[in-house]
Amino acid sequence: MVMPLALLEKSLDKKVSLLLKDGRVLEGKLTGYDEFMNMVIDDTVESFQEGEGRRLGVVVLRGNNVVSISIV
Amino acid sequence: MVMPLALLEKSLDKKVSLLLKDGRVLEGKLTGYDEFMNMVIDDTVESFQEGEGRRLGVVVLRGNNVVSISIV
Amino acid sequence: MVMPLALLEKSLDKKVSLLLKDGRVLEGKLTGYDEFMNMVIDDTVESFQEGEGRRLGVVVLRGNNVVSISIV
Amino acid sequence: MVMPLALLEKSLDKKVSLLLKDGRVLEGKLTGYDEFMNMVIDDTVESFQEGEGRRLGVVVLRGNNVVSISIV
Amino acid sequence: MVMPLALLEKSLDKKVSLLLKDGRVLEGKLTGYDEFMNMVIDDTVESFQEGEGRRLGVVVLRGNNVVSISIV
Amino acid sequence: MVMPLALLEKSLDKKVSLLLKDGRVLEGKLTGYDEFMNMVIDDTVESFQEGEGRRLGVVVLRGNNVVSISIV
Amino acid sequence: MVMPLALLEKSLDKKVSLLLKDGRVLEGKLTGYDEFMNMVIDDTVESFQEGEGRRLGVVVLRGNNVVSISIV
C-alpha cells in the first residue's frame, strides 16, 4: 500500500507530468507539496495536449485544479 | 454491508477501471488510496471511451475528479 | 421522519437506480454506503437515459457525483 | 424568523416541489431531511419544466443538487 | 461596518431580490435565513431577467446557489 | 505583507469594483465583509463588462461568487 | 522541499503571474496572501492570453479562482 501523499514525497526532485482540469499539461520537477496537493514545480513547461511548450519557470499550483500526477 | 473504503482496501493490487469527471477512463492496478479517495494507480492506461490507450505509468489521482471505480 | 441515510440503510441489498450529475443512470444492488453517500453497487448496469446497458460489475461511487437515488 | 431547516420540519409529510441544478423539477411528499438538506421524497414525479412526469417512487436526494424547495 | 448576516437580520420581513447562479431572479419577503445563507422567502415570484413572473409561494433556498441579495 | 482581509478592512467605505464568476462587474461602496469574503456593497451599480449600469442599491454578495476585488 | 505557501512567502514584493480559472492572466506585485491562497496584488495588469493589458491597480484575489502562480 502506497499512500498518495507518500508517493509525492518519493517523487520530490523528480520530473512529473500534471494534468489540469482545463486540459493543460504541466511538466517539471516537483520540489514541494502540501496536504491539499498544492504543489511547487520547477522548470515548468506548459502544453495543451501535444503542442509546443511554453516555459513558466517556478510555479505554485493549487491542488484543486489537478486531475492527475504522472511520475515520468 | 461493505463500506466504500473497505472495498478499495480489498481491491489493492487488483486491476480497476476509473471513470473521471471529464469522461476519461483510466485502467491500472490500484496500489494505494486515502480517505479522500485520492488513489495511486500503477501501469495506468488512459482512454477516452473505447479509443486507443495512452500509457501513463504510475499516477496519483485526486479523488474529487473520480466519478466511479469499477473492480475489473 | 426518515433520515436520508436511514433510508439507504433500509435499502441495503435492494436494487437502486442512481442518477449521476453527468446524466448517466446506474442500476444495481446497493451493498454499502458511508456518511458522504459514497456507495458500493453490485451487478451495476450503466445507461444513458433509456439506452442499452453496459455491465460494470462492482462499482464504488463517489457521493458528490450522485444527484438522486431511487429505490426500485 | 423561520430558520430554513425549521420550515422543512414543518413541511414533513407535505407536498413539495424541488428545483434541481440541472433544471429538473421533482414533486412529491417530503418524508425526511438532514442538516445538509439531503431529503427523502415519497411518490416522486420528475419533470423537465412543464413536460410529462416520470414516476420515481421513493427518492433520496443529495442536498447539494437542490436549488430551491417550494412548499406546494 | 455592517456584517453581511447582520444586514440579512435587518432585512427580515422586507422585500428582497435574489440573483441565483443559473440567472433566475427571485423576489419575495425574507422570513428566515441561517449561517450558510440558506433563506426562507415568502410570496416568491420567479423571473428570468425581466420576463413574466411565476408565483412560487414559500420557498427554501440553498445558500450556495445565491449570487447576490438586493434589499429592495 | 498585507493580509487579504486586512486590505478589505482598510477599504471599508471606499469604492470597490468586484468581478463575479459569471462575468458581471459590480461597483459600489464596501460597507461590510466577513471571513468568507461575503460582502455588503452600498450604491451598487451592475454592468456586464463596459455596458450601461443597472442600479441595485444595497447588495449582500456571497464570497464564493467573487473572483477579484479592485480598490478603485 | 519547498512548501507551496513558503514559496509565496519568499515571493512577497516580487512580480508574479497568475492564471485564473476563467483563462484571464493577472500580473503584478504580490504584497500579501493567506492560507487559502487569497492574495493581494499591487499594480495589477489583466490580460486574456497575450492581449493588451487593462490596469486594475490593487486587487484582492480569491484563492479558489487561481489555477497557478508563476514567479516571474
Side-chain angles (χ1 to χ4, degrees):
Chain A
M1 164 87 161
V2 187
M3 296 290 283
L5 288 179
L7 185 59
L8 290 191
E9 180 70 29
K10 279 179 50 183
S11 304
L12 279 174
D13 297 319
K14 299 220 171 72
K15 201 175 166 192
V16 295
S17 176
L18 301 157
L19 175 67
L20 308 190
K21 280 190 187 167
D22 61 6
R24 291 190 307 145
V25 175
L26 298 187
E27 289 201 348
K29 192 172 71 172
L30 179 69
T31 56
Y33 68 91
D34 62 21
E35 78 268 32
F36 306 110
M37 287 204 193
N38 298 319
M39 281 172 271
V40 181
I41 311 290
D42 270 22
D43 302 325
T44 310
V45 177
E46 174 204 47
S47 62
F48 266 97
Q49 306 301 347
E50 303 296 330
E52 269 295 292
R54 191 157 57 110
R55 299 191 172 277
L56 297 177
V58 180
V59 167
V60 177
L61 201 66
R62 295 234 336 154
N64 65 348
N65 297 300
V66 175
V67 176
S68 61
I69 306 140
S70 305
I71 319 303
V72 292
Chain B
M1 164 85 162
V2 186
M3 296 290 282
L5 288 179
L7 185 59
L8 291 191
E9 181 71 30
K10 278 179 49 182
S11 304
L12 279 174
D13 297 319
K14 300 222 171 71
K15 201 175 166 194
V16 295
S17 175
L18 301 157
L19 175 68
L20 308 191
K21 280 189 186 167
D22 60 7
R24 292 190 306 145
V25 175
L26 298 186
E27 289 201 348
K29 191 172 71 171
L30 179 69
T31 56
Y33 67 91
D34 63 21
E35 78 269 34
F36 306 110
M37 287 205 194
N38 298 320
M39 280 172 272
V40 181
I41 312 290
D42 270 21
D43 302 324
T44 310
V45 177
E46 175 204 47
S47 62
F48 265 97
Q49 306 301 347
E50 304 296 331
E52 269 295 292
R54 190 157 58 109
R55 298 188 175 277
L56 297 176
V58 180
V59 167
V60 177
L61 200 67
R62 295 237 333 155
N64 66 347
N65 297 299
V66 176
V67 176
S68 61
I69 306 141
S70 306
I71 319 302
V72 292
Chain C
M1 166 85 162
V2 187
M3 296 290 282
L5 288 179
L7 185 59
L8 290 191
E9 180 70 31
K10 279 179 48 183
S11 304
L12 279 174
D13 297 317
K14 300 221 170 74
K15 201 175 167 194
V16 295
S17 175
L18 301 157
L19 175 68
L20 308 190
K21 280 188 186 169
D22 60 7
R24 292 189 306 144
V25 175
L26 298 186
E27 288 201 349
K29 191 172 69 171
L30 179 69
T31 56
Y33 68 91
D34 62 22
E35 78 268 33
F36 305 110
M37 287 204 193
N38 299 319
M39 280 172 272
V40 181
I41 311 289
D42 270 21
D43 302 323
T44 311
V45 177
E46 174 204 48
S47 62
F48 265 97
Q49 306 302 345
E50 305 294 331
E52 268 295 293
R54 191 157 58 108
R55 297 188 176 279
L56 297 176
V58 179
V59 167
V60 177
L61 200 67
R62 294 232 338 152
N64 66 346
N65 297 299
V66 176
V67 176
S68 61
I69 306 141
S70 305
I71 319 303
V72 292
Chain D
M1 165 87 162
V2 187
M3 296 290 282
L5 288 180
L7 185 58
L8 290 191
E9 180 71 30
K10 279 178 48 183
S11 304
L12 279 174
D13 297 318
K14 300 221 171 73
K15 200 176 167 194
V16 294
S17 175
L18 301 157
L19 175 68
L20 307 190
K21 280 189 186 167
D22 60 7
R24 290 190 306 144
V25 175
L26 298 186
E27 288 202 348
K29 190 172 72 172
L30 178 69
T31 56
Y33 68 91
D34 63 22
E35 77 269 33
F36 305 110
M37 286 203 195
N38 299 320
M39 280 171 273
V40 181
I41 311 289
D42 270 21
D43 302 325
T44 310
V45 178
E46 174 204 47
S47 61
F48 265 97
Q49 306 302 345
E50 305 295 331
E52 269 294 294
R54 191 157 58 109
R55 297 189 175 278
L56 298 176
V58 179
V59 167
V60 177
L61 199 67
R62 294 233 336 153
N64 66 346
N65 297 300
V66 176
V67 176
S68 61
I69 306 140
S70 305
I71 319 303
V72 291
Chain E
M1 165 87 163
V2 187
M3 296 291 282
L5 288 179
L7 186 58
L8 290 191
E9 180 70 31
K10 279 179 49 183
S11 304
L12 279 174
D13 297 318
K14 299 221 170 72
K15 200 176 166 191
V16 295
S17 174
L18 301 157
L19 175 68
L20 307 191
K21 281 188 183 166
D22 61 7
R24 290 190 307 145
V25 175
L26 298 186
E27 288 202 348
K29 191 172 70 171
L30 178 69
T31 57
Y33 67 91
D34 63 23
E35 77 269 31
F36 306 110
M37 286 202 193
N38 299 319
M39 281 172 271
V40 181
I41 311 289
D42 270 22
D43 302 324
T44 311
V45 178
E46 175 203 47
S47 61
F48 265 97
Q49 306 302 345
E50 305 294 331
E52 269 294 295
R54 190 157 59 108
R55 298 189 175 278
L56 298 176
V58 179
V59 167
V60 177
L61 200 67
R62 294 237 331 156
N64 65 347
N65 297 300
V66 176
V67 175
S68 61
I69 306 140
S70 305
I71 319 303
V72 291
Chain F
M1 165 87 163
V2 187
M3 296 291 281
L5 288 179
L7 185 60
L8 291 191
E9 180 70 30
K10 278 179 49 183
S11 303
L12 279 174
D13 297 319
K14 300 222 170 72
K15 200 177 167 190
V16 294
S17 176
L18 301 157
L19 176 67
L20 308 191
K21 281 190 184 166
D22 60 6
R24 291 190 308 145
V25 175
L26 298 187
E27 288 202 348
K29 191 172 70 171
L30 179 69
T31 57
Y33 68 90
D34 63 22
E35 78 268 33
F36 306 110
M37 287 204 193
N38 299 319
M39 282 172 271
V40 180
I41 311 289
D42 270 21
D43 302 324
T44 311
V45 177
E46 175 204 47
S47 61
F48 266 96
Q49 307 302 345
E50 304 295 330
E52 270 295 292
R54 191 158 58 109
R55 298 189 174 278
L56 298 176
V58 180
V59 167
V60 177
L61 200 67
R62 295 237 333 157
N64 65 347
N65 297 300
V66 176
V67 176
S68 62
I69 306 141
S70 305
I71 319 303
V72 292
Chain G
M1 164 86 162
V2 187
M3 296 290 282
L5 288 179
L7 185 61
L8 290 191
E9 180 70 30
K10 279 178 50 182
S11 303
L12 279 175
D13 296 319
K14 299 221 171 72
K15 201 176 167 191
V16 295
S17 176
L18 302 157
L19 175 67
L20 307 191
K21 281 190 185 166
D22 61 6
R24 290 189 308 145
V25 175
L26 297 187
E27 289 202 348
K29 191 172 70 172
L30 179 69
T31 57
Y33 68 91
D34 62 23
E35 78 268 32
F36 306 110
M37 287 203 192
N38 298 319
M39 282 172 271
V40 181
I41 311 290
D42 269 22
D43 303 325
T44 311
V45 178
E46 175 204 47
S47 60
F48 265 97
Q49 306 302 345
E50 305 295 330
E52 269 294 292
R54 191 158 58 110
R55 300 190 172 277
L56 298 176
V58 180
V59 167
V60 177
L61 200 66
R62 295 232 338 153
N64 65 348
N65 297 299
V66 176
V67 176
S68 62
I69 306 140
S70 306
I71 319 303
V72 292

